[in-house]
Amino acid sequence: MKSLNPVLTHPALHLLGKCKTLYTLEQIHANIITTGLARHTYPLSRLLQSSSVLDITYTLEIFTHIPNPTIFLFNIVISSLINHRDLTHIAFSLYNRILLSRTSIKPNSFTYPSLFKACASQPWVRYGLALHNHVLKFLESEYDGYVQASLINYYANCGRLGVARYLFDQITDPDLPTWNSILSAYSRIDSDNGMVVDTFGTLVLFKEMQDSLVRPNEITLVALISACGNLGALSQGVWAHAYVVKNGLRLNHYIGTALIGMYSHCGCLELARQLFDQLPQRDRLCYNAMIGAFAIHGYGHRALDLYEKMKLEGLAPDNVTFVVTMSGCSHVGLVEKGCKIFESIKEVYGIEPTVEHYGCIVDLLSRAGRLREAEEKTLARLHLAPVRTRAKTGGNYVLLSNMYAGIDKWEDVKSMRKLMKHQGITKIPGTSLVEVGGAIHEFIMGDRTHPFLDDIHLKLEEISFSLQEYGHKPSTKEVLFDIEEEEKEEALLYHSERLAIAFALLMVDSNCPIRIIKNLRVCGDCHASTKLISKIYRREIVMRDRIRFHHFADGACSCKDYW
């Protein structure tokens, strides 16, 4: 009978798995040295892994005293350092040490995934391309599943979805991590544009995955459910929920959070709340999703109540918690409550407010007419925001254009457009999505490609006539063109949300609400006209714009004209 290797079965290694304090770890470390285990790679790897959980600086101290560490040990320390963002530079320093080593060690397929993970955020993004070259140089097979998955994630995080898809298509038989990476890439939202990058692709890819022999797991379903939420594809989202239940997948925090977000973003707030209440365990992610759901639907008081309940359950708020809770305050005018939360970020929790936090407080103060305070916070926000972010975001330019157009300063509007062109910034066209019979229809202002175009235009004319009968006069100040008044009114008529509403009135059952997703903020005229349309046609219209949900019914909106 073959005896077990004593190096692998030494009692000290068993104790490492139970180690809870640094003091105990130091004693085990001393034992590993005195027994000679420190001369072997496996005991050292266990020691490095255990110490990284307790004290990463102690991990580095151990590593520096290892003569000629193997690539296996390098990989463990690099991976551990990547989990501490403020120590990422040391991880790259160790990688350079591998490259410059005079011994036979060289990077392998376990070296790169954690480094690509670090390259997902600044200031390390620019190193990703060099790392990709190193993959091609050092790895015998660059199509290792985990390396390819990390590459796909890296390019997707950089907004280069085409490259990510190209890498995916080079793989003959993608494994589960690779499928999950490309599905997650397709389901992400482009926050600058306020609309999905290509969440249609997620649904198509999932169908392809089902046709393969790879069985989806919880990560796969999170990507799929998130895509359905982004698109407002309620039918597909319900199907995904049923798939989780039918196939016995665990309703963990991640799937639970994704489902809460999906139902909320599809306009089904109560379904989101029911799911939240049914979760056996709720972590901070679940609370953030539900607080955010209450916030975007205009239930600021309920968002605040849940925020307080979360703290009572011993869960400390994080950056996302502060953003969604302050947004909830902003939507219903809870100025003092929102200001108190903003002040607590640093005073109570010791966290430095981010650009997003300043954006929330500026929005809150501006809505309340406290413009001087808002201006002070805006200056602080601009100071925090990186130059590249300020230069490439078109929102501020469009806001100024709106202001100039509102007071008929058309030369200034033209100047702003020239400046945007010079900076390489384009205004994202307004698009609206509406689900009809399980299919998603997309409309763009002035769209002339829809197969029901003639019927839609006839319906628009009918809507326009009905609005006039109810005394509605279009608010043309929001049309940013120096053209005749009649042409401005016509431009408003063909806004993307108007096209979507006209189509939905034709196609959606009269007993069902009309659900629309718009990538930009709904304009004042479309908001006013939609209220009237809900009364004239006796229809409930649920519209999600870039800021929040609007529930229109019987001539009124849930936002009470405060948005």
Side-chain angles (χ1 to χ4, degrees), residues 29-70:
H29 184 192
N31 182 263
I32 287 173
I33 293 172
T34 56
T35 56
L37 288 174
R39 294 195 298 269
H40 301 277
T41 294
Y42 179 70
L44 286 173
S45 71
R46 292 286 306 277
L47 182 63
L48 290 169
Q49 287 173 328
S50 297
S51 64
S52 69
V53 176
L54 297 172
D55 187 343
I56 191 67
T57 56
Y58 193 70
T59 307
L60 290 171
E61 187 179 336
I62 296 169
F63 187 75
T64 54
H65 288 90
I66 300 174
N68 302 318
T70 64

Side-chain angles (χ1 to χ4, degrees), residues 49-218:
Q49 287 173 328
S50 297
S51 64
S52 69
V53 176
L54 297 172
D55 187 343
I56 191 67
T57 56
Y58 193 70
T59 307
L60 290 171
E61 187 179 336
I62 296 169
F63 187 75
T64 54
H65 288 90
I66 300 174
N68 302 318
T70 64
I71 188 62
F72 180 52
L73 298 180
F74 267 105
N75 290 343
I76 289 171
V77 179
I78 288 173
S79 179
S80 300
L81 287 166
I82 295 302
N83 293 324
H84 298 76
R85 289 188 63 181
D86 55 334
L87 299 178
T88 301
H89 63 287
I90 302 177
F92 277 96
S93 176
L94 288 178
Y95 177 68
N96 283 333
R97 183 175 154 188
I98 295 170
L99 298 180
L100 298 172
S101 173
R102 294 180 181 177
T103 64
S104 60
I105 66 167
K106 65 177 184 177
N108 62 20
S109 59
F110 296 98
T111 311
Y112 291 103
S114 54
L115 290 171
F116 279 117
K117 179 182 175 182
C119 291
S121 58
Q122 296 293 353
W124 307 104
V125 173
R126 59 194 177 99
Y127 293 101
L129 294 176
L131 284 176
H132 192 174
N133 285 329
H134 289 186
V135 166
L136 300 174
K137 179 179 180 180
F138 294 115
L139 299 189
E140 293 179 4
S141 174
E142 67 269 28
Y143 294 122
D144 173 88
Y146 288 97
V147 173
Q148 285 299 100
S150 62
L151 272 167
I152 290 168
N153 280 326
Y154 165 69
Y155 283 108
N157 282 321
C158 294
R160 301 179 68 178
L161 190 58
V163 178
R165 181 58 193 263
Y166 172 80
L167 290 170
F168 176 79
D169 289 339
Q170 302 309 302
I171 306 170
T172 306
D173 295 306
D175 59 12
L176 182 59
T178 311
W179 274 109
N180 287 343
S181 293
I182 192 65
L183 284 164
S184 298
Y186 268 82
S187 69
R188 289 190 183 102
I189 293 179
D190 182 344
S191 58
D192 192 37
N193 296 345
M195 203 58 177
V196 291
V197 177
D198 193 352
T199 46
F200 288 105
T202 312
L203 306 181
V204 174
L205 277 168
F206 183 75
K207 179 63 172 64
E208 291 178 17
M209 184 180 183
Q210 285 184 294
D211 294 337
S212 73
L213 298 177
V214 179
R215 180 180 172 82
N217 64 1
E218 287 88 350

Side-chain angles (χ1 to χ4, degrees), residues 432 443-448 450 452-469 472 474 489-506 516 525-526 529-530 533 536-537:
S432 293
F443 294 91
I444 303 172
M445 180 177 174
D447 185 16
R448 307 193 67 83
H450 199 279
F452 289 89
L453 181 66
D454 292 338
D455 293 327
I456 292 169
H457 281 196
L458 284 172
K459 195 67 177 178
L460 278 174
E461 290 176 13
E462 177 195 303
I463 291 170
S464 179
F465 180 75
S466 298
L467 288 172
Q468 289 175 20
E469 282 194 321
H472 175 71
E489 291 182 12
E490 186 174 351
L492 286 172
L493 181 63
Y494 292 99
H495 271 193
S496 65
E497 58 266 53
R498 293 280 189 89
L499 293 166
I501 289 172
F503 177 66
L505 286 172
L506 288 166
I516 293 171
D525 182 75
C526 287
S529 62
T530 305
I533 291 169
I536 295 166
Y537 290 90

